[in-house]
Amino acid sequence: MEERNNSLSARSAVLSALLGHHPPRLPARHLVRIGALFGIAEGTVRVALSRMVAAGDLLQEGRYYTLSERLVERQARQDESRDPHTRPWDGTWEVAVVTAERRAPADRAAFRHTMTALRLAELREGTWLRPANLVREWPEIVTAQCTLIDGRPHRDPTPLLWDLDGWAAEARRLKRALERADGLAEGFLVSAAVLRHLLADPLLPEELLPADWPGAELRARYDDFDTRYREVLLRHLKD
């Protein structure tokens, strides 16, 4: 019998459902049924949907709801974290030094969010870096505020920038959770937790990772789990 977990809010249930669905578009009745897995009343889900549309998080098309452009971008990052686009590393690091002046607090917050999404880490205030092993373009929010440099640190700064032991320990815990997940509600929660954790993977080159780094294995386990889980969930929603 599935356990009810009332700690999940209606908004979180809706967002997790749409972020995990391709395309990110579901009818209200399916979102209501997902909320019901966690003991969330239909009225509560529908109020959450209305508020999310008003806030610009969702778009409503008749009885269907879809993610806004901002959240579609988040889904794209989530997808990329499952199948990252990397290139061979030649030892070069990307360095972004903030040179813009008098930035508004909102602009500073948006910039930090972008840098984190690009998987850079801040060595000190205004100095961001990472190994140059990812295939991507620099967005305008970065090029307009930073001087970009390619360089090679004399000492490996990885331990100063990322808690690799902490990430690896949580990845191993999540692998075990995937193996034990029982029922739709628990599977939904574990799936969302894995996707959040993969977004926090710095995607470092193999040369900078511990020998037993669990990133690839977590992705493989999750892909297998997700294929089976989505089939069961869709059958439940359509019944």
PDB file of all heavy atoms in Angstrom, residues 23-46:
ATOM      1  N   PRO A  23       6.050  16.176 -24.201  1.00  0.00           N
ATOM      2  CA  PRO A  23       6.260  17.599 -23.899  1.00  0.00           C
ATOM      3  C   PRO A  23       5.633  17.946 -22.550  1.00  0.00           C
ATOM      4  O   PRO A  23       4.781  17.198 -22.056  1.00  0.00           O
ATOM      5  CB  PRO A  23       5.545  18.318 -25.051  1.00  0.00           C
ATOM      6  CG  PRO A  23       4.484  17.349 -25.475  1.00  0.00           C
ATOM      7  CD  PRO A  23       5.074  15.989 -25.298  1.00  0.00           C
ATOM      8  N   PRO A  24       6.022  19.078 -21.941  1.00  0.00           N
ATOM      9  CA  PRO A  24       5.540  19.427 -20.598  1.00  0.00           C
ATOM     10  C   PRO A  24       4.119  19.978 -20.624  1.00  0.00           C
ATOM     11  O   PRO A  24       3.858  21.152 -20.341  1.00  0.00           O
ATOM     12  CB  PRO A  24       6.551  20.484 -20.130  1.00  0.00           C
ATOM     13  CG  PRO A  24       6.978  21.157 -21.393  1.00  0.00           C
ATOM     14  CD  PRO A  24       7.020  20.069 -22.429  1.00  0.00           C
ATOM     15  N   ARG A  25       3.175  19.118 -20.970  1.00  0.00           N
ATOM     16  CA  ARG A  25       1.779  19.519 -21.170  1.00  0.00           C
ATOM     17  C   ARG A  25       0.885  18.391 -20.690  1.00  0.00           C
ATOM     18  O   ARG A  25       0.991  17.259 -21.164  1.00  0.00           O
ATOM     19  CB  ARG A  25       1.539  19.820 -22.652  1.00  0.00           C
ATOM     20  CG  ARG A  25       0.154  20.325 -23.015  1.00  0.00           C
ATOM     21  CD  ARG A  25       0.147  20.707 -24.494  1.00  0.00           C
ATOM     22  NE  ARG A  25      -1.135  21.272 -24.917  1.00  0.00           N
ATOM     23  CZ  ARG A  25      -2.119  20.555 -25.465  1.00  0.00           C
ATOM     24  NH1 ARG A  25      -1.951  19.235 -25.663  1.00  0.00           N
ATOM     25  NH2 ARG A  25      -3.241  21.137 -25.832  1.00  0.00           N
ATOM     26  N   LEU A  26       0.018  18.691 -19.723  1.00  0.00           N
ATOM     27  CA  LEU A  26      -0.875  17.678 -19.173  1.00  0.00           C
ATOM     28  C   LEU A  26      -2.251  18.289 -18.911  1.00  0.00           C
ATOM     29  O   LEU A  26      -2.356  19.480 -18.599  1.00  0.00           O
ATOM     30  CB  LEU A  26      -0.326  17.123 -17.855  1.00  0.00           C
ATOM     31  CG  LEU A  26       0.879  16.171 -17.937  1.00  0.00           C
ATOM     32  CD1 LEU A  26       1.451  15.929 -16.564  1.00  0.00           C
ATOM     33  CD2 LEU A  26       0.483  14.856 -18.599  1.00  0.00           C
ATOM     34  N   PRO A  27      -3.313  17.479 -19.016  1.00  0.00           N
ATOM     35  CA  PRO A  27      -4.638  17.986 -18.678  1.00  0.00           C
ATOM     36  C   PRO A  27      -4.789  18.129 -17.165  1.00  0.00           C
ATOM     37  O   PRO A  27      -4.113  17.443 -16.387  1.00  0.00           O
ATOM     38  CB  PRO A  27      -5.572  16.913 -19.231  1.00  0.00           C
ATOM     39  CG  PRO A  27      -4.764  15.663 -19.232  1.00  0.00           C
ATOM     40  CD  PRO A  27      -3.350  16.093 -19.510  1.00  0.00           C
ATOM     41  N   ALA A  28      -5.703  18.992 -16.769  1.00  0.00           N
ATOM     42  CA  ALA A  28      -5.921  19.246 -15.343  1.00  0.00           C
ATOM     43  C   ALA A  28      -6.265  17.951 -14.602  1.00  0.00           C
ATOM     44  O   ALA A  28      -5.804  17.738 -13.474  1.00  0.00           O
ATOM     45  CB  ALA A  28      -7.025  20.279 -15.166  1.00  0.00           C
ATOM     46  N   ARG A  29      -7.036  17.068 -15.221  1.00  0.00           N
ATOM     47  CA  ARG A  29      -7.452  15.858 -14.517  1.00  0.00           C
ATOM     48  C   ARG A  29      -6.268  14.957 -14.178  1.00  0.00           C
ATOM     49  O   ARG A  29      -6.254  14.283 -13.145  1.00  0.00           O
ATOM     50  CB  ARG A  29      -8.511  15.092 -15.320  1.00  0.00           C
ATOM     51  CG  ARG A  29      -8.045  14.552 -16.661  1.00  0.00           C
ATOM     52  CD  ARG A  29      -9.206  13.943 -17.445  1.00  0.00           C
ATOM     53  NE  ARG A  29      -8.781  13.437 -18.739  1.00  0.00           N
ATOM     54  CZ  ARG A  29      -8.270  12.217 -18.921  1.00  0.00           C
ATOM     55  NH1 ARG A  29      -8.152  11.386 -17.904  1.00  0.00           N
ATOM     56  NH2 ARG A  29      -7.893  11.827 -20.130  1.00  0.00           N
ATOM     57  N   HIS A  30      -5.238  14.949 -15.041  1.00  0.00           N
ATOM     58  CA  HIS A  30      -4.044  14.162 -14.729  1.00  0.00           C
ATOM     59  C   HIS A  30      -3.279  14.788 -13.577  1.00  0.00           C
ATOM     60  O   HIS A  30      -2.760  14.076 -12.697  1.00  0.00           O
ATOM     61  CB  HIS A  30      -3.144  14.055 -15.965  1.00  0.00           C
ATOM     62  CG  HIS A  30      -3.645  13.112 -16.994  1.00  0.00           C
ATOM     63  ND1 HIS A  30      -2.937  12.784 -18.133  1.00  0.00           N
ATOM     64  CD2 HIS A  30      -4.811  12.401 -17.064  1.00  0.00           C
ATOM     65  CE1 HIS A  30      -3.635  11.923 -18.858  1.00  0.00           C
ATOM     66  NE2 HIS A  30      -4.774  11.683 -18.236  1.00  0.00           N
ATOM     67  N   LEU A  31      -3.187  16.098 -13.555  1.00  0.00           N
ATOM     68  CA  LEU A  31      -2.488  16.773 -12.467  1.00  0.00           C
ATOM     69  C   LEU A  31      -3.236  16.589 -11.147  1.00  0.00           C
ATOM     70  O   LEU A  31      -2.611  16.454 -10.086  1.00  0.00           O
ATOM     71  CB  LEU A  31      -2.317  18.253 -12.807  1.00  0.00           C
ATOM     72  CG  LEU A  31      -1.412  18.511 -14.019  1.00  0.00           C
ATOM     73  CD1 LEU A  31      -1.510  19.966 -14.471  1.00  0.00           C
ATOM     74  CD2 LEU A  31       0.032  18.148 -13.698  1.00  0.00           C
ATOM     75  N   VAL A  32      -4.560  16.548 -11.227  1.00  0.00           N
ATOM     76  CA  VAL A  32      -5.359  16.283 -10.026  1.00  0.00           C
ATOM     77  C   VAL A  32      -5.078  14.878  -9.507  1.00  0.00           C
ATOM     78  O   VAL A  32      -4.942  14.656  -8.294  1.00  0.00           O
ATOM     79  CB  VAL A  32      -6.859  16.462 -10.339  1.00  0.00           C
ATOM     80  CG1 VAL A  32      -7.725  15.850  -9.238  1.00  0.00           C
ATOM     81  CG2 VAL A  32      -7.177  17.946 -10.500  1.00  0.00           C
ATOM     82  N   ARG A  33      -4.960  13.912 -10.396  1.00  0.00           N
ATOM     83  CA  ARG A  33      -4.698  12.531  -9.971  1.00  0.00           C
ATOM     84  C   ARG A  33      -3.303  12.390  -9.373  1.00  0.00           C
ATOM     85  O   ARG A  33      -3.093  11.599  -8.457  1.00  0.00           O
ATOM     86  CB  ARG A  33      -4.872  11.565 -11.151  1.00  0.00           C
ATOM     87  CG  ARG A  33      -6.298  11.483 -11.666  1.00  0.00           C
ATOM     88  CD  ARG A  33      -6.564  10.166 -12.372  1.00  0.00           C
ATOM     89  NE  ARG A  33      -6.625   9.062 -11.417  1.00  0.00           N
ATOM     90  CZ  ARG A  33      -6.879   7.798 -11.753  1.00  0.00           C
ATOM     91  NH1 ARG A  33      -7.084   7.492 -13.032  1.00  0.00           N
ATOM     92  NH2 ARG A  33      -6.928   6.854 -10.850  1.00  0.00           N
ATOM     93  N   ILE A  34      -2.353  13.148  -9.896  1.00  0.00           N
ATOM     94  CA  ILE A  34      -1.015  13.127  -9.301  1.00  0.00           C
ATOM     95  C   ILE A  34      -1.062  13.723  -7.893  1.00  0.00           C
ATOM     96  O   ILE A  34      -0.469  13.187  -6.949  1.00  0.00           O
ATOM     97  CB  ILE A  34      -0.018  13.882 -10.196  1.00  0.00           C
ATOM     98  CG1 ILE A  34       0.269  13.048 -11.452  1.00  0.00           C
ATOM     99  CG2 ILE A  34       1.284  14.186  -9.441  1.00  0.00           C
ATOM    100  CD1 ILE A  34       1.066  13.759 -12.507  1.00  0.00           C
ATOM    101  N   GLY A  35      -1.790  14.818  -7.728  1.00  0.00           N
ATOM    102  CA  GLY A  35      -1.936  15.385  -6.392  1.00  0.00           C
ATOM    103  C   GLY A  35      -2.573  14.392  -5.429  1.00  0.00           C
ATOM    104  O   GLY A  35      -2.191  14.308  -4.259  1.00  0.00           O
ATOM    105  N   ALA A  36      -3.528  13.619  -5.925  1.00  0.00           N
ATOM    106  CA  ALA A  36      -4.217  12.650  -5.073  1.00  0.00           C
ATOM    107  C   ALA A  36      -3.266  11.579  -4.526  1.00  0.00           C
ATOM    108  O   ALA A  36      -3.517  11.002  -3.460  1.00  0.00           O
ATOM    109  CB  ALA A  36      -5.359  11.987  -5.854  1.00  0.00           C
ATOM    110  N   LEU A  37      -2.192  11.292  -5.252  1.00  0.00           N
ATOM    111  CA  LEU A  37      -1.202  10.328  -4.748  1.00  0.00           C
ATOM    112  C   LEU A  37      -0.651  10.752  -3.399  1.00  0.00           C
ATOM    113  O   LEU A  37      -0.209   9.916  -2.604  1.00  0.00           O
ATOM    114  CB  LEU A  37      -0.043  10.173  -5.743  1.00  0.00           C
ATOM    115  CG  LEU A  37      -0.346   9.558  -7.110  1.00  0.00           C
ATOM    116  CD1 LEU A  37       0.880   9.638  -8.002  1.00  0.00           C
ATOM    117  CD2 LEU A  37      -0.798   8.113  -6.941  1.00  0.00           C
ATOM    118  N   PHE A  38      -0.661  12.057  -3.138  1.00  0.00           N
ATOM    119  CA  PHE A  38      -0.079  12.592  -1.904  1.00  0.00           C
ATOM    120  C   PHE A  38      -1.142  13.170  -0.976  1.00  0.00           C
ATOM    121  O   PHE A  38      -0.850  13.963  -0.085  1.00  0.00           O
ATOM    122  CB  PHE A  38       0.962  13.665  -2.257  1.00  0.00           C
ATOM    123  CG  PHE A  38       2.016  13.145  -3.176  1.00  0.00           C
ATOM    124  CD1 PHE A  38       1.920  13.354  -4.552  1.00  0.00           C
ATOM    125  CD2 PHE A  38       3.071  12.387  -2.700  1.00  0.00           C
ATOM    126  CE1 PHE A  38       2.863  12.839  -5.414  1.00  0.00           C
ATOM    127  CE2 PHE A  38       4.019  11.871  -3.553  1.00  0.00           C
ATOM    128  CZ  PHE A  38       3.923  12.097  -4.909  1.00  0.00           C
ATOM    129  N   GLY A  39      -2.382  12.762  -1.192  1.00  0.00           N
ATOM    130  CA  GLY A  39      -3.459  13.212  -0.337  1.00  0.00           C
ATOM    131  C   GLY A  39      -3.842  14.665  -0.527  1.00  0.00           C
ATOM    132  O   GLY A  39      -4.445  15.281   0.351  1.00  0.00           O
ATOM    133  N   ILE A  40      -3.509  15.245  -1.685  1.00  0.00           N
ATOM    134  CA  ILE A  40      -3.837  16.643  -1.964  1.00  0.00           C
ATOM    135  C   ILE A  40      -5.202  16.691  -2.639  1.00  0.00           C
ATOM    136  O   ILE A  40      -5.422  16.054  -3.671  1.00  0.00           O
ATOM    137  CB  ILE A  40      -2.765  17.286  -2.863  1.00  0.00           C
ATOM    138  CG1 ILE A  40      -1.382  17.178  -2.220  1.00  0.00           C
ATOM    139  CG2 ILE A  40      -3.094  18.756  -3.130  1.00  0.00           C
ATOM    140  CD1 ILE A  40      -0.239  17.599  -3.128  1.00  0.00           C
ATOM    141  N   ALA A  41      -6.100  17.450  -2.069  1.00  0.00           N
ATOM    142  CA  ALA A  41      -7.475  17.510  -2.569  1.00  0.00           C
ATOM    143  C   ALA A  41      -7.531  18.138  -3.955  1.00  0.00           C
ATOM    144  O   ALA A  41      -6.700  18.976  -4.312  1.00  0.00           O
ATOM    145  CB  ALA A  41      -8.346  18.308  -1.603  1.00  0.00           C
ATOM    146  N   GLU A  42      -8.541  17.731  -4.728  1.00  0.00           N
ATOM    147  CA  GLU A  42      -8.697  18.263  -6.082  1.00  0.00           C
ATOM    148  C   GLU A  42      -8.790  19.791  -6.075  1.00  0.00           C
ATOM    149  O   GLU A  42      -8.173  20.465  -6.899  1.00  0.00           O
ATOM    150  CB  GLU A  42      -9.950  17.678  -6.736  1.00  0.00           C
ATOM    151  CG  GLU A  42     -10.225  18.247  -8.126  1.00  0.00           C
ATOM    152  CD  GLU A  42     -11.423  17.608  -8.805  1.00  0.00           C
ATOM    153  OE1 GLU A  42     -11.922  16.573  -8.309  1.00  0.00           O
ATOM    154  OE2 GLU A  42     -11.861  18.149  -9.846  1.00  0.00           O
ATOM    155  N   GLY A  43      -9.578  20.339  -5.158  1.00  0.00           N
ATOM    156  CA  GLY A  43      -9.721  21.794  -5.096  1.00  0.00           C
ATOM    157  C   GLY A  43      -8.404  22.495  -4.839  1.00  0.00           C
ATOM    158  O   GLY A  43      -8.136  23.567  -5.401  1.00  0.00           O
ATOM    159  N   THR A  44      -7.560  21.888  -4.012  1.00  0.00           N
ATOM    160  CA  THR A  44      -6.254  22.484  -3.710  1.00  0.00           C
ATOM    161  C   THR A  44      -5.376  22.506  -4.956  1.00  0.00           C
ATOM    162  O   THR A  44      -4.683  23.487  -5.225  1.00  0.00           O
ATOM    163  CB  THR A  44      -5.563  21.691  -2.587  1.00  0.00           C
ATOM    164  OG1 THR A  44      -6.418  21.670  -1.432  1.00  0.00           O
ATOM    165  CG2 THR A  44      -4.224  22.318  -2.223  1.00  0.00           C
ATOM    166  N   VAL A  45      -5.401  21.423  -5.733  1.00  0.00           N
ATOM    167  CA  VAL A  45      -4.618  21.378  -6.972  1.00  0.00           C
ATOM    168  C   VAL A  45      -5.119  22.428  -7.949  1.00  0.00           C
ATOM    169  O   VAL A  45      -4.327  23.147  -8.574  1.00  0.00           O
ATOM    170  CB  VAL A  45      -4.685  19.974  -7.604  1.00  0.00           C
ATOM    171  CG1 VAL A  45      -3.983  19.980  -8.966  1.00  0.00           C
ATOM    172  CG2 VAL A  45      -4.041  18.941  -6.692  1.00  0.00           C
ATOM    173  N   ARG A  46      -6.422  22.558  -8.088  1.00  0.00           N
ATOM    174  CA  ARG A  46      -6.972  23.515  -9.060  1.00  0.00           C
ATOM    175  C   ARG A  46      -6.685  24.956  -8.644  1.00  0.00           C
ATOM    176  O   ARG A  46      -6.425  25.805  -9.505  1.00  0.00           O
ATOM    177  CB  ARG A  46      -8.463  23.269  -9.243  1.00  0.00           C
ATOM    178  CG  ARG A  46      -8.751  21.927  -9.942  1.00  0.00           C
ATOM    179  CD  ARG A  46     -10.200  21.778 -10.336  1.00  0.00           C
ATOM    180  NE  ARG A  46     -10.452  20.484 -10.958  1.00  0.00           N
ATOM    181  CZ  ARG A  46     -10.234  20.195 -12.247  1.00  0.00           C
ATOM    182  NH1 ARG A  46      -9.760  21.138 -13.049  1.00  0.00           N
ATOM    183  NH2 ARG A  46     -10.481  18.996 -12.731  1.00  0.00           N
TER     184      ARG A  46
END
